[in-house]
Amino acid sequence: MNVPCRQCNTPVDESTAVCPVCGATNPAQRYGPPPGSATMQTTAVNGGVVIRDIDIPFGRMVVLILKFMAASIPAYLLVMVIMFMLMGVFAGVMAAVMPDVFTAPAASGL
Ligand SMILES: [Zn+2]
């Protein structure tokens, strides 16, 4: 039975080990190597990249997402620092434009 090659879509036999057109290994196999090894099939589309398939067991996906979250903590801290700096600049500008709003009544001598 013929199935399209997973890389070039050329019809190849199910038992073919190597695609005769593009040289892909196991062209009839949809998802590449058997589960246990993390793989990603990516295709360039209009200059971008589309991730078609991530073939990994559920448990490893959970671990992967946990690692992503842990890795994103420094990024969150960096964003927070930038936000505080922008708020400081904003508050400084507002204090210069409207000094009355930012001056406490006790400090203004009332
Ligand atoms: Zn092929």
Side-chain angles (χ1 to χ4, degrees), residues 92-107:
V93 170
M94 293 311 280
V97 173
M98 306 184 292
D100 298 346
V101 177
F102 289 88
T103 308

Side-chain angles (χ1 to χ4, degrees), residues 5-10 12 19-24 27:
C5 166
R6 64 186 159 96
Q7 195 163 301
C8 67
N9 285 327
T10 304
V12 292
C19 173
V21 177
C22 68

Side-chain angles (χ1 to χ4, degrees), residues 31-103:
Y31 306 118
S37 57
T39 55
M40 285 189 192
Q41 270 186 297
T42 56
T43 309
V45 176
N46 296 330
V49 173
V50 175
I51 298 174
R52 266 198 202 154
D53 190 14
I54 302 173
D55 182 22
I56 58 176
F58 179 75
R60 284 183 60 170
M61 176 61 108
V62 171
V63 171
L64 188 67
I65 290 172
L66 287 175
K67 283 180 182 172
F68 269 121
M69 287 174 71
S72 66
I73 289 171
Y76 281 124
L77 292 176
L78 190 64
V79 169
M80 279 173 65
V81 168
I82 292 169
M83 291 299 280
F84 274 119
M85 284 167 67
L86 287 175
M87 281 170 65
V89 171
F90 181 73
V93 170
M94 293 311 280
V97 173
M98 306 184 292
D100 298 346
V101 177
F102 289 88
T103 308

